[in-house]
């Protein structure tokens, strides 16, 4: 009786035993300014150089979605101005507290 053993190339065997690559960390909001502007609105949104700038008068839960509803980022922003860099042009939906804004980049 003969036993047939197949050999696997070393590179392929190493790939099969290597741990899966870790997913990149989710994108984060960056605080730009902690000074709170005295505005009548609870939310001010500005777009510049593929950054979305959000100014809020107090700590606010913010969610950013694609136009298809896929979540991109979620954070509790401190009072002041924070920014988020988007990777692609398009239409986004920003929900901050009870306010929803459409953003075009």
């Amino acid at each position: 009786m003969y036993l047939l053993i197949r050999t696997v190339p070393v590179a392929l065997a190493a790939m099969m035993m290597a741990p899966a690559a870790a997913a990149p960390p989710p994108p984060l909001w960056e605080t730009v300014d902690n000074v709170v502007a005295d505005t009548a609105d609870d939310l001010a949104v500005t777009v510049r150089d593929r950054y979305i700038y959000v100014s809020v008068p107090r700590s606010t839960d913010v969610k950013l979605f694609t136009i298809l509803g896929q979540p991109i980022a979620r954070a509790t922003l401190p009072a002041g101005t924070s920014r988020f860099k988007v990777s692609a042009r398009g239409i986004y939906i920003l929900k901050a507290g009870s306010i929803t804004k459409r953003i075009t980049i």
Side-chain angles (χ1 to χ4, degrees), residues 29 42-47 51-56 60-77 80 82-86 90-105:
W29 287 87
D42 283 341
L43 175 70
V45 179
T46 308
V47 176
Y51 279 98
I52 299 172
Y53 290 85
V54 178
S55 297
V56 291
T60 305
D61 289 328
V62 175
K63 299 174 191 171
L64 184 65
F65 301 93
T66 65
I67 192 67
L68 299 175
Q70 298 168 327
I72 294 178
R74 180 182 195 166
T76 301
L77 300 184
S82 299
R83 71 180 183 175
F84 182 84
K85 184 165 186 155
V86 292
I91 300 172
Y92 296 90
I93 305 298
L94 180 84
K95 294 183 100 173
S98 62
I99 300 171
T100 302
K101 298 260 185 178
R102 178 179 177 251
I103 301 168
T104 303
I105 297 180

